[in-house]
Each structure stands twice: as C-alpha cells, then as structure tokens.
Amino acid sequence: MNFIIWIVVGGILGWIASMIMKTDAQQGMLMNIVVGIIGALLGGWLLAPLFGTGTINQNDFSIGSLLVSLLGAVILLAIVNLLRRGTPR
C-alpha cells in the first residue's frame, strides 16, 4: 500500500513542481511521477539533512518531508531546464 501512496504523492509533487517551473504543458502524467520521485531523492540527499526531516521516499509523510520533496523536484526541473537550453529545439 505504501508503494501506491508513494506513486500518487510523487505524481502530485511532480505536477506541483512542474506548475511552479512552468513546464506543465511539456510533461505528461508519467513524467510528473518520475520528477516527483527523483526530486524527492534529490531533496533527501541535499536538503533533508539541512532541515532535519525525511522525504516521501523514506515513508515519512509529514509536512516537512513533503516540502523537502517538493523543493527537490523544483531543483530537478531547474537543472533539466538549464540543460535543455543548450540543445537546439
């Protein structure tokens, strides 16, 4: 059951992050889930020690962990957008 909640919460966080970064029209539902989960991993490695909280990947569904996971997803999208600028469209 935790796996399904992890996928749903990761998708929601990825969708919110894509709306913040204005990349929502470029991404589908699957990409939002991937961004949410990988962003939570990134947030866990970089931000969780600073804020003293876990992430959704660690089965910690507190407000602090959700914010750290969301911030990690936003950082991930910022890095992807930065790398995309160098490629021709």
Coordinates of all heavy atoms in Angstrom, one line a residue:
M1 N 0.8 -1.2 0.0 CA 0.0 0.0 0.0 C 0.9 1.3 0.0 O 0.5 2.2 -0.6 CB -0.9 0.0 1.2 CG -2.0 1.0 1.2 SD -3.1 0.7 -0.2 CE -4.4 1.8 0.2
N2 N 2.0 1.2 0.7 CA 2.9 2.4 0.7 C 3.4 2.7 -0.6 O 3.6 3.9 -1.0 CB 4.1 2.2 1.7 CG 3.7 2.4 3.1 OD1 2.7 3.0 3.4 ND2 4.5 1.9 4.0
F3 N 3.6 1.7 -1.5 CA 4.1 1.9 -2.8 C 3.1 2.7 -3.7 O 3.5 3.7 -4.4 CB 4.4 0.6 -3.5 CG 5.0 0.7 -4.9 CD1 6.3 1.2 -5.1 CD2 4.2 0.4 -6.0 CE1 6.8 1.3 -6.3 CE2 4.8 0.6 -7.3 CZ 6.1 1.0 -7.4
I4 N 1.9 2.4 -3.5 CA 0.8 3.2 -4.3 C 0.7 4.6 -3.8 O 0.7 5.5 -4.6 CB -0.5 2.4 -4.2 CG1 -0.4 1.1 -4.9 CG2 -1.6 3.3 -4.8 CD1 -1.6 0.2 -4.6
I5 N 0.8 4.8 -2.5 CA 0.8 6.1 -1.9 C 2.0 6.9 -2.4 O 1.9 8.1 -2.7 CB 0.7 6.1 -0.4 CG1 -0.7 5.5 0.0 CG2 0.9 7.5 0.2 CD1 -0.8 5.2 1.5
W6 N 3.1 6.2 -2.4 CA 4.4 6.8 -2.9 C 4.3 7.3 -4.3 O 4.7 8.4 -4.6 CB 5.5 5.8 -2.7 CG 6.9 6.2 -3.0 CD1 7.6 7.2 -2.4 CD2 7.8 5.5 -3.8 NE1 8.9 7.3 -2.9 CE2 9.0 6.2 -3.8 CE3 7.7 4.4 -4.6 CZ2 10.1 5.8 -4.5 CZ3 8.8 4.0 -5.3 CH2 10.0 4.7 -5.3
I7 N 3.7 6.5 -5.2 CA 3.5 6.9 -6.6 C 2.5 8.1 -6.7 O 2.8 9.0 -7.4 CB 2.9 5.7 -7.4 CG1 3.9 4.5 -7.4 CG2 2.5 6.1 -8.8 CD1 5.1 4.7 -8.4
V8 N 1.4 8.0 -6.0 CA 0.4 9.1 -6.1 C 1.0 10.4 -5.5 O 0.9 11.5 -6.2 CB -0.9 8.7 -5.3 CG1 -1.8 9.9 -5.2 CG2 -1.6 7.5 -6.0
V9 N 1.6 10.4 -4.4 CA 2.2 11.6 -3.8 C 3.3 12.1 -4.7 O 3.5 13.3 -4.9 CB 2.6 11.4 -2.3 CG1 3.4 12.5 -1.8 CG2 1.5 11.0 -1.5
G10 N 4.2 11.2 -5.2 CA 5.2 11.6 -6.1 C 4.7 12.3 -7.3 O 5.2 13.3 -7.8
G11 N 3.6 11.8 -7.9 CA 2.9 12.4 -9.0 C 2.4 13.8 -8.7 O 2.5 14.7 -9.5
I12 N 1.8 13.9 -7.6 CA 1.2 15.2 -7.2 C 2.3 16.2 -7.0 O 2.2 17.4 -7.5 CB 0.3 15.1 -5.9 CG1 -0.9 14.3 -6.3 CG2 0.0 16.4 -5.4 CD1 -1.8 13.9 -5.1
L13 N 3.4 15.8 -6.3 CA 4.5 16.7 -6.1 C 5.2 17.1 -7.4 O 5.6 18.2 -7.6 CB 5.5 16.1 -5.1 CG 5.1 16.0 -3.7 CD1 6.1 15.3 -2.8 CD2 4.7 17.3 -3.1
G14 N 5.3 16.1 -8.3 CA 5.9 16.4 -9.6 C 5.0 17.4 -10.4 O 5.5 18.3 -11.1
W15 N 3.7 17.2 -10.3 CA 2.8 18.1 -11.0 C 2.9 19.5 -10.4 O 2.9 20.5 -11.2 CB 1.4 17.6 -10.9 CG 0.3 18.4 -11.5 CD1 0.2 18.8 -12.8 CD2 -0.7 19.1 -10.7 NE1 -0.9 19.6 -12.9 CE2 -1.5 19.8 -11.7 CE3 -1.1 19.1 -9.4 CZ2 -2.6 20.6 -11.3 CZ3 -2.2 19.8 -9.0 CH2 -2.9 20.5 -10.0
I16 N 2.9 19.6 -9.1 CA 3.0 21.0 -8.5 C 4.3 21.6 -8.9 O 4.4 22.8 -9.2 CB 2.9 20.9 -7.0 CG1 1.4 20.4 -6.6 CG2 3.2 22.2 -6.3 CD1 1.2 20.1 -5.2
A17 N 5.4 20.8 -8.9 CA 6.7 21.4 -9.2 C 6.7 21.8 -10.7 O 7.3 22.9 -11.0 CB 7.8 20.3 -9.0
S18 N 6.1 21.1 -11.6 CA 6.0 21.5 -13.0 C 5.2 22.7 -13.2 O 5.5 23.5 -14.1 CB 5.5 20.3 -13.8 OG 4.2 20.1 -13.6
M19 N 4.2 22.9 -12.3 CA 3.4 24.2 -12.4 C 4.2 25.3 -11.9 O 4.2 26.4 -12.5 CB 2.1 24.0 -11.6 CG 1.1 23.1 -12.3 SD -0.4 22.8 -11.4 CE -0.9 24.4 -10.9
I20 N 5.0 25.1 -10.9 CA 5.9 26.2 -10.3 C 6.9 26.6 -11.4 O 7.2 27.8 -11.6 CB 6.6 25.7 -9.0 CG1 5.5 25.6 -7.9 CG2 7.7 26.7 -8.6 CD1 6.0 25.0 -6.6
M21 N 7.5 25.6 -12.0 CA 8.6 25.9 -13.0 C 8.0 26.1 -14.4 O 8.8 26.3 -15.4 CB 9.5 24.7 -13.1 CG 10.3 24.5 -11.8 SD 11.3 25.9 -11.4 CE 12.5 25.9 -12.7
K22 N 6.7 26.1 -14.6 CA 6.0 26.4 -15.8 C 6.4 25.4 -17.0 O 6.6 25.8 -18.1 CB 6.2 27.8 -16.3 CG 5.7 28.8 -15.3 CD 5.6 30.2 -15.8 CE 5.2 31.3 -14.8 NZ 4.7 31.0 -13.6
T23 N 6.6 24.1 -16.6 CA 6.9 23.1 -17.6 C 5.7 22.1 -17.7 O 5.9 21.0 -18.2 CB 8.2 22.4 -17.2 OG1 8.0 21.7 -16.0 CG2 9.3 23.3 -17.3
D24 N 4.6 22.5 -17.1 CA 3.4 21.5 -17.0 C 2.9 21.1 -18.4 O 2.5 20.0 -18.6 CB 2.3 22.1 -16.2 CG 1.3 21.1 -15.9 OD1 1.6 20.0 -15.6 OD2 0.1 21.5 -15.9
A25 N 2.9 22.0 -19.4 CA 2.5 21.7 -20.7 C 3.4 20.7 -21.5 O 3.0 20.0 -22.4 CB 2.3 22.9 -21.5
Q26 N 4.7 20.7 -21.1 CA 5.6 19.8 -21.8 C 5.7 18.4 -21.2 O 6.3 17.5 -21.8 CB 7.0 20.4 -21.6 CG 7.1 21.8 -22.2 CD 8.4 22.5 -21.7 OE1 9.2 21.9 -21.0 NE2 8.6 23.7 -22.1
Q27 N 5.1 18.2 -20.0 CA 5.2 16.9 -19.3 C 3.9 16.2 -19.3 O 2.8 16.8 -19.2 CB 5.7 17.1 -17.9 CG 7.0 17.7 -17.8 CD 7.5 17.9 -16.4 OE1 8.5 18.4 -16.2 NE2 6.7 17.6 -15.4
G28 N 3.9 14.9 -19.2 CA 2.7 14.1 -19.0 C 2.7 13.6 -17.6 O 3.5 13.9 -16.8
M29 N 1.7 12.8 -17.3 CA 1.5 12.2 -16.0 C 2.7 11.4 -15.6 O 3.2 11.5 -14.4 CB 0.2 11.4 -15.9 CG -0.1 10.9 -14.6 SD -1.6 10.0 -14.4 CE -1.4 8.6 -15.6
L30 N 3.2 10.5 -16.5 CA 4.3 9.7 -16.1 C 5.5 10.5 -15.8 O 6.3 10.2 -14.8 CB 4.6 8.7 -17.3 CG 5.7 7.7 -17.0 CD1 5.4 6.8 -15.8 CD2 6.0 6.9 -18.2
M31 N 5.8 11.5 -16.5 CA 7.0 12.4 -16.3 C 6.8 13.1 -14.9 O 7.8 13.3 -14.2 CB 7.1 13.4 -17.4 CG 8.4 14.1 -17.4 SD 9.8 13.0 -17.5 CE 11.1 14.2 -17.7
N32 N 5.6 13.5 -14.6 CA 5.3 14.2 -13.3 C 5.7 13.2 -12.2 O 6.3 13.6 -11.1 CB 3.9 14.6 -13.2 CG 3.7 15.9 -14.0 OD1 4.6 16.7 -14.2 ND2 2.4 16.1 -14.3
I33 N 5.3 11.9 -12.3 CA 5.6 10.9 -11.3 C 7.1 10.8 -11.1 O 7.6 10.7 -10.0 CB 4.9 9.6 -11.6 CG1 3.4 9.8 -11.5 CG2 5.4 8.5 -10.7 CD1 2.6 8.6 -12.0
V34 N 7.8 10.6 -12.3 CA 9.2 10.4 -12.2 C 9.9 11.7 -11.6 O 10.8 11.5 -10.8 CB 9.8 10.2 -13.7 CG1 11.3 10.2 -13.7 CG2 9.2 8.8 -14.2
V35 N 9.5 12.8 -12.0 CA 10.1 14.1 -11.4 C 9.8 14.2 -9.9 O 10.7 14.5 -9.2 CB 9.5 15.3 -12.2 CG1 9.8 16.6 -11.4 CG2 10.1 15.4 -13.5
G36 N 8.6 13.8 -9.5 CA 8.3 13.8 -8.1 C 9.2 12.9 -7.3 O 9.7 13.2 -6.2
I37 N 9.3 11.6 -7.8 CA 10.1 10.6 -7.0 C 11.6 10.9 -7.1 O 12.3 10.9 -6.0 CB 9.8 9.2 -7.6 CG1 8.3 8.9 -7.3 CG2 10.7 8.2 -7.0 CD1 7.8 7.6 -7.9
I38 N 12.1 11.3 -8.2 CA 13.6 11.6 -8.3 C 13.9 12.9 -7.6 O 14.9 13.0 -6.9 CB 14.0 11.6 -9.8 CG1 13.9 10.2 -10.4 CG2 15.5 12.1 -9.9 CD1 14.3 10.1 -11.8
G39 N 12.9 13.8 -7.7 CA 13.1 15.1 -6.9 C 13.1 14.8 -5.4 O 13.8 15.5 -4.7
A40 N 12.3 13.9 -4.9 CA 12.3 13.5 -3.5 C 13.7 12.9 -3.1 O 14.2 13.1 -2.0 CB 11.2 12.6 -3.2
L41 N 14.2 12.1 -4.0 CA 15.5 11.5 -3.8 C 16.6 12.6 -3.7 O 17.4 12.7 -2.8 CB 15.9 10.5 -4.9 CG 15.3 9.2 -4.8 CD1 15.7 8.4 -6.1 CD2 15.8 8.4 -3.6
L42 N 16.5 13.6 -4.6 CA 17.5 14.7 -4.6 C 17.3 15.5 -3.4 O 18.3 15.9 -2.7 CB 17.2 15.5 -5.9 CG 18.1 16.7 -6.1 CD1 19.6 16.2 -6.4 CD2 17.6 17.5 -7.3
G43 N 16.1 15.8 -3.0 CA 15.8 16.6 -1.8 C 16.3 15.8 -0.6 O 16.7 16.4 0.4
G44 N 16.2 14.5 -0.6 CA 16.6 13.7 0.6 C 18.1 13.8 0.7 O 18.6 13.8 1.9
W45 N 18.8 13.8 -0.4 CA 20.3 13.8 -0.3 C 20.8 15.2 0.0 O 21.8 15.4 0.8 CB 20.9 13.4 -1.6 CG 20.8 11.9 -1.9 CD1 20.7 10.9 -0.9 CD2 20.8 11.3 -3.1 NE1 20.6 9.7 -1.6 CE2 20.6 9.9 -2.9 CE3 20.8 11.7 -4.4 CZ2 20.5 9.0 -3.9 CZ3 20.7 10.8 -5.5 CH2 20.6 9.5 -5.2
L46 N 20.2 16.2 -0.6 CA 20.7 17.6 -0.4 C 20.0 18.4 0.7 O 20.7 19.1 1.5 CB 20.5 18.4 -1.7 CG 21.2 17.9 -2.9 CD1 20.9 18.7 -4.1 CD2 22.7 17.9 -2.7
L47 N 18.7 18.3 0.9 CA 18.0 19.2 1.7 C 17.6 18.6 3.1 O 17.4 19.3 4.0 CB 16.8 19.7 1.0 CG 17.1 20.4 -0.3 CD1 15.8 20.7 -1.1 CD2 17.9 21.7 -0.1
A48 N 17.3 17.3 3.1 CA 16.8 16.7 4.3 C 17.7 16.9 5.5 O 17.3 17.2 6.6 CB 16.4 15.2 4.1
P49 N 19.1 16.7 5.3 CA 19.9 16.9 6.5 C 19.9 18.4 7.0 O 20.1 18.6 8.1 CB 21.3 16.6 5.9 CG 21.1 15.7 4.8 CD 19.8 16.1 4.2
L50 N 19.7 19.3 6.0 CA 19.7 20.7 6.4 C 18.4 21.0 7.3 O 18.5 21.8 8.2 CB 19.7 21.6 5.2 CG 21.0 21.6 4.4 CD1 20.8 22.4 3.1 CD2 22.1 22.2 5.2
F51 N 17.3 20.4 6.9 CA 16.0 20.7 7.6 C 15.7 19.7 8.7 O 14.7 19.9 9.4 CB 14.9 20.8 6.6 CG 15.0 21.9 5.6 CD1 15.3 21.7 4.3 CD2 14.9 23.2 6.0 CE1 15.4 22.7 3.3 CE2 15.0 24.3 5.1 CZ 15.2 24.0 3.8
G52 N 16.5 18.6 8.7 CA 16.3 17.6 9.8 C 15.0 16.8 9.6 O 14.3 16.5 10.6
T53 N 14.6 16.6 8.4 CA 13.4 15.8 8.1 C 13.7 14.7 7.1 O 14.8 14.7 6.5 CB 12.3 16.7 7.6 OG1 11.1 16.0 7.5 CG2 12.6 17.4 6.3
G54 N 12.7 13.8 6.9 CA 12.9 12.8 5.8 C 12.2 13.3 4.5 O 11.9 14.4 4.4
T55 N 12.0 12.3 3.6 CA 11.3 12.6 2.4 C 10.2 11.5 2.2 O 10.1 10.6 3.0 CB 12.3 12.5 1.2 OG1 12.8 11.2 1.0 CG2 13.4 13.5 1.3
I56 N 9.5 11.7 1.1 CA 8.4 10.7 0.9 C 9.0 9.3 0.5 O 8.4 8.3 0.7 CB 7.5 11.1 -0.2 CG1 8.2 11.3 -1.6 CG2 6.7 12.4 0.2 CD1 7.2 11.5 -2.8
N57 N 10.3 9.3 0.0 CA 10.9 8.0 -0.3 C 11.3 7.3 1.0 O 11.6 6.1 0.9 CB 12.2 8.3 -1.1 CG 11.9 8.8 -2.5 OD1 10.7 8.8 -2.9 ND2 12.8 9.4 -3.1
Q58 N 11.3 7.9 2.1 CA 11.6 7.2 3.4 C 10.4 7.0 4.2 O 10.4 6.8 5.4 CB 12.6 8.1 4.2 CG 13.9 8.4 3.5 CD 14.7 9.5 4.1 OE1 14.1 10.4 4.8 NE2 15.9 9.6 3.8
N59 N 9.2 6.9 3.5 CA 7.9 6.7 4.1 C 7.6 7.7 5.3 O 7.1 7.3 6.3 CB 7.8 5.3 4.7 CG 7.7 4.3 3.5 OD1 7.2 4.6 2.4 ND2 8.3 3.1 3.7
D60 N 8.0 8.9 5.1 CA 7.8 10.0 6.1 C 6.8 11.0 5.4 O 7.3 11.7 4.5 CB 9.1 10.6 6.5 CG 8.9 11.8 7.5 OD1 7.7 11.9 8.0 OD2 9.8 12.5 7.7
F61 N 5.6 10.9 5.7 CA 4.6 11.8 5.0 C 4.2 12.9 5.9 O 3.0 13.2 6.1 CB 3.4 11.0 4.6 CG 3.7 10.0 3.5 CD1 3.8 8.7 3.7 CD2 3.8 10.5 2.2 CE1 4.1 7.8 2.7 CE2 4.1 9.6 1.2 CZ 4.3 8.3 1.4
S62 N 5.1 13.6 6.5 CA 4.9 14.8 7.3 C 4.9 16.0 6.4 O 5.3 16.0 5.2 CB 5.9 15.0 8.4 OG 7.2 15.2 7.9
I63 N 4.5 17.2 6.9 CA 4.5 18.4 6.1 C 5.9 18.8 5.7 O 6.2 19.2 4.6 CB 3.9 19.6 6.9 CG1 2.4 19.3 7.2 CG2 4.0 20.9 6.2 CD1 1.5 19.2 5.9
G64 N 6.9 18.6 6.6 CA 8.3 18.9 6.3 C 8.8 18.1 5.2 O 9.5 18.5 4.3
S65 N 8.5 16.8 5.2 CA 9.0 15.9 4.2 C 8.4 16.2 2.9 O 9.1 16.1 1.8 CB 8.8 14.4 4.6 OG 7.4 14.1 4.6
L66 N 7.1 16.5 2.9 CA 6.5 16.9 1.6 C 7.1 18.2 1.0 O 7.3 18.2 -0.2 CB 5.0 17.1 1.8 CG 4.2 15.8 2.1 CD1 2.8 16.1 2.4 CD2 4.3 14.8 1.0
L67 N 7.4 19.1 1.8 CA 8.0 20.4 1.3 C 9.5 20.1 0.8 O 9.9 20.7 -0.2 CB 8.0 21.4 2.4 CG 6.7 22.0 2.8 CD1 6.8 23.0 4.0 CD2 6.0 22.6 1.6
V68 N 10.2 19.3 1.5 CA 11.6 18.9 1.1 C 11.5 18.2 -0.2 O 12.3 18.5 -1.1 CB 12.3 18.1 2.2 CG1 13.6 17.5 1.6 CG2 12.7 19.0 3.3
S69 N 10.6 17.3 -0.4 CA 10.4 16.5 -1.6 C 10.0 17.4 -2.8 O 10.5 17.3 -3.9 CB 9.4 15.4 -1.4 OG 9.8 14.5 -0.5
L70 N 9.1 18.4 -2.5 CA 8.7 19.3 -3.5 C 9.8 20.2 -3.9 O 10.0 20.5 -5.1 CB 7.5 20.2 -3.0 CG 7.0 21.3 -3.9 CD1 6.5 20.7 -5.2 CD2 6.0 22.2 -3.2
L71 N 10.6 20.7 -3.0 CA 11.8 21.6 -3.3 C 12.8 20.8 -4.1 O 13.4 21.3 -5.0 CB 12.4 22.1 -2.0 CG 13.4 23.2 -2.1 CD1 12.7 24.4 -2.9 CD2 13.8 23.7 -0.7
G72 N 13.0 19.5 -3.8 CA 13.9 18.7 -4.6 C 13.4 18.5 -6.0 O 14.2 18.6 -6.9
A73 N 12.1 18.4 -6.2 CA 11.5 18.3 -7.5 C 11.7 19.6 -8.3 O 12.0 19.6 -9.5 CB 10.1 17.9 -7.5
V74 N 11.5 20.7 -7.6 CA 11.7 22.0 -8.3 C 13.2 22.2 -8.7 O 13.4 22.6 -9.8 CB 11.2 23.2 -7.4 CG1 11.7 24.5 -7.9 CG2 9.7 23.1 -7.2
I75 N 14.1 21.8 -7.8 CA 15.5 21.9 -8.2 C 15.8 21.0 -9.4 O 16.6 21.3 -10.3 CB 16.4 21.5 -7.0 CG1 16.3 22.6 -5.9 CG2 17.8 21.3 -7.3 CD1 16.9 22.2 -4.6
L76 N 15.3 19.8 -9.4 CA 15.5 18.8 -10.5 C 15.0 19.5 -11.8 O 15.7 19.4 -12.8 CB 14.8 17.5 -10.2 CG 14.8 16.5 -11.4 CD1 16.3 16.0 -11.6 CD2 13.9 15.3 -11.1
L77 N 13.8 20.1 -11.8 CA 13.3 20.7 -13.0 C 14.1 21.9 -13.4 O 14.3 22.1 -14.6 CB 11.8 21.1 -12.8 CG 10.8 20.0 -12.9 CD1 9.4 20.5 -12.6 CD2 10.8 19.3 -14.2
A78 N 14.6 22.6 -12.5 CA 15.5 23.8 -12.8 C 16.8 23.3 -13.5 O 17.2 23.9 -14.5 CB 15.9 24.5 -11.6
I79 N 17.3 22.1 -13.0 CA 18.5 21.6 -13.7 C 18.2 21.1 -15.1 O 19.0 21.3 -16.0 CB 19.1 20.5 -12.8 CG1 19.7 21.0 -11.5 CG2 20.2 19.7 -13.5 CD1 20.0 20.0 -10.4
V80 N 17.1 20.4 -15.2 CA 16.7 19.9 -16.5 C 16.5 21.1 -17.5 O 16.9 21.0 -18.7 CB 15.4 19.0 -16.4 CG1 14.8 18.7 -17.8 CG2 15.8 17.7 -15.7
N81 N 15.8 22.1 -17.0 CA 15.6 23.3 -17.9 C 16.9 24.0 -18.3 O 17.0 24.4 -19.4 CB 14.7 24.3 -17.2 CG 13.2 23.9 -17.2 OD1 12.8 23.0 -17.9 ND2 12.5 24.4 -16.3
L82 N 17.8 24.0 -17.4 CA 19.1 24.6 -17.7 C 19.9 23.8 -18.7 O 20.5 24.4 -19.6 CB 20.0 24.7 -16.4 CG 21.3 25.4 -16.4 CD1 21.0 26.9 -16.7 CD2 22.0 25.3 -15.1
L83 N 19.8 22.5 -18.6 CA 20.5 21.6 -19.6 C 19.8 21.7 -21.0 O 20.4 21.5 -22.0 CB 20.5 20.2 -19.1 CG 21.4 19.9 -17.9 CD1 21.3 18.5 -17.4 CD2 22.8 20.3 -18.2
R84 N 18.4 21.8 -21.0 CA 17.7 21.9 -22.2 C 18.0 23.2 -23.0 O 17.8 23.2 -24.3 CB 16.2 21.9 -22.0 CG 15.6 20.5 -21.9 CD 14.1 20.6 -21.9 NE 13.6 19.3 -21.5 CZ 12.3 19.2 -21.1 NH1 11.5 20.2 -21.2 NH2 11.9 18.0 -20.8
R85 N 18.3 24.2 -22.4 CA 18.6 25.5 -23.1 C 19.8 25.4 -24.1 O 19.8 26.0 -25.1 CB 18.9 26.6 -22.1 CG 17.7 27.1 -21.4 CD 18.1 28.3 -20.5 NE 17.1 28.6 -19.6 CZ 17.2 29.4 -18.6 NH1 18.4 29.9 -18.3 NH2 16.2 29.6 -17.8
G86 N 20.7 24.5 -23.8 CA 21.9 24.3 -24.6 C 21.6 23.5 -25.9 O 22.4 23.5 -26.8
T87 N 20.5 22.8 -25.9 CA 20.2 21.9 -27.0 C 19.3 22.7 -28.0 O 18.4 23.4 -27.7 CB 19.5 20.6 -26.6 OG1 18.2 21.0 -25.9 CG2 20.3 19.9 -25.6
P88 N 19.5 22.4 -29.3 CA 18.6 23.1 -30.3 C 17.2 22.5 -30.3 O 17.0 21.3 -30.0 CB 19.3 22.7 -31.7 CG 20.2 21.6 -31.4 CD 20.5 21.6 -30.0
R89 N 16.2 23.3 -30.5 CA 14.8 22.8 -30.5 C 14.2 22.8 -31.9 O 14.4 23.5 -32.7 CB 14.0 23.8 -29.6 CG 14.4 23.7 -28.2 CD 13.6 24.6 -27.3 NE 14.3 24.9 -26.1 CZ 13.7 25.3 -25.1 NH1 12.5 25.5 -25.0 NH2 14.5 25.6 -24.0

